[in-house]
Amino acid sequence: MLTLTESGTSAVPTHCTTVEERARREAATRELLTARARSTDETERQELLEQAVELNLEIARGIARRFRGRGVEDDDLEQVACLGLMKAASGYRPDDGVPFIGYAVPTIRGELKRYFRDCTWTVRIPRTLQELQGKIAAVLPLLTQELGREPSIEQIAERLGAPLDDVRQAEAARGCFNVLSLDRPTDDGDLVLGDAVADDEDPYLQQLETVDMLGPVVADLSPRDRRILELRFVENWKQADIGAELGISQMQVSRLLTRILAELRNRLEPASAAA
């Protein structure tokens, strides 16, 4: 059976910071998932899948971090993102010619967004419990200061003059309200939680993800094509200056850029459609 060590990828980085590192991770992932696609042994297929997922865990964690601060525990976000990664690895078809990361990123992001949206409809906290939660939140710091420790449910109920069972229910539902009600106001006061969930048009989120997705694709370009991209979009050279540097005309540079960008776009667009 193919393993990371046998395939010569034991030193493949999982925390990638350069185009070269991302390309190595991409190549190792494709090798593992290609071997999985060809295998008929279910045990081997599962082991190869787990290796591919482990190799790309940092991608899932990175995407999960971009959804923080929206009422969901970090551990829950990471679990959902890892589930999306597992789905991506299971559904990835190497023969389609789409980079794995180009397929995985929108799959993971979609899983997280579905989690938020599904939560909106799964639980409806009764308004009476929501109001009681507000009262508990207001009195909790005072009781904590008076007692020098976190108060018990009984002490909270006694201070509020509320039925003990109601306080228990409100406290039990508190996590659900934080996670599942997208109508909850944010700290800004002007937005509700649903407004803060990243959507398909979030330019910052898309920019961060595109950096990861482009890495392996750019690495497949010829050295000259990569140099043209670097000069134009990293060093911000004009086309005429690029032409002078490479010994070609400005018109040729323009045509080359058009071809290179079209190639990158064609490599990435099928990933979004597949996810």
Side-chain angles (χ1 to χ4, degrees):
M1 186 190 78
L2 174 70
T3 65
L4 287 175
T5 301
E6 291 169 355
S7 64
T9 57
S10 57
V12 173
T14 56
H15 294 70
C16 301
T17 58
T18 67
V19 170
E20 289 74 16
E21 288 177 342
R22 292 187 180 97
R24 288 168 57 199
R25 180 179 62 190
E26 173 71 22
T29 301
R30 287 178 62 87
E31 186 175 358
L32 289 167
L33 294 180
T34 298
R36 177 178 182 269
R38 294 171 179 169
S39 175
T40 57
D41 185 305
E42 285 304 316
T43 300
E44 181 182 36
R45 283 171 55 83
Q46 182 62 30
E47 290 179 359
L48 290 167
L49 177 67
E50 291 174 0
Q51 289 184 59
V53 168
E54 183 178 356
L55 195 58
N56 291 275
L57 278 176
E58 188 56 30
I59 297 173
R61 290 168 180 155
I63 296 174
R65 284 194 292 270
R66 298 165 197 167
F67 283 79
R68 283 179 175 175
R70 300 180 173 106
V72 181
E73 295 293 332
D74 292 351
D75 287 346
D76 292 337
L77 286 174
E78 188 169 312
Q79 287 180 13
V80 174
C82 289
L83 173 61
L85 174 60
M86 179 68 75
K87 287 184 176 181
S90 299
Y92 180 67
R93 297 187 295 271
D95 292 340
D96 286 350
V98 177
F100 174 72
I101 193 167
Y103 181 81
V105 167
T107 301
I108 297 168
R109 185 162 61 118
E111 194 69 25
L112 283 161
K113 293 171 66 175
R114 275 191 294 274
Y115 176 73
F116 277 102
R117 289 167 182 167
D118 291 347
C119 284
T120 309
W121 300 100
T122 302
V123 174
R124 292 295 182 186
I125 306 302
R127 181 166 294 277
T128 54
L129 289 186
Q130 293 186 28
E131 294 173 350
L132 186 54
Q133 286 173 344
K135 294 177 181 179
I136 293 172
V139 77
L140 193 58
L142 298 176
L143 279 174
T144 300
Q145 184 175 6
E146 291 176 9
L147 299 172
R149 58 173 173 79
E150 187 173 344
S152 65
I153 296 293
E154 291 78 10
Q155 289 169 323
I156 295 173
E158 181 180 356
R159 172 60 65 92
L160 293 175
L164 182 58
D165 285 344
D166 288 355
V167 174
R168 284 199 177 111
Q169 291 181 38
E171 283 294 275
R174 180 157 58 100
C176 294
F177 180 56
N178 287 343
V179 174
L180 301 179
S181 177
L182 297 189
D183 296 326
R184 177 189 178 190
T186 64
D187 294 336
D188 297 335
D190 297 329
L191 297 174
V192 296
L193 183 57
D195 297 328
V197 177
D199 59 28
D200 292 324
E201 304 303 324
D202 185 336
Y204 180 65
L205 188 61
Q206 287 186 336
Q207 181 183 15
L208 290 173
E209 292 172 356
T210 300
V211 170
D212 279 339
M213 293 167 65
L214 275 175
V217 182
V218 171
D220 288 340
L221 297 175
S222 68
R224 187 179 74 160
D225 286 354
R226 287 200 302 271
R227 180 58 175 161
I228 291 173
L229 287 180
E230 180 183 5
L231 292 175
R232 182 69 183 93
F233 298 107
V234 177
E235 300 186 20
N236 202 30
W237 283 28
K238 296 179 180 179
Q239 292 184 14
D241 296 332
I242 297 174
E245 173 74 11
L246 300 179
I248 57 179
S249 69
Q250 179 178 343
M251 180 63 69
Q252 288 175 304
V253 172
S254 177
R255 289 173 179 170
L256 285 170
L257 280 170
T258 299
R259 176 186 60 76
I260 295 168
L261 295 176
E263 182 178 339
L264 294 177
R265 190 178 300 110
N266 290 336
R267 291 287 305 278
L268 292 175
E269 281 181 348
S272 299

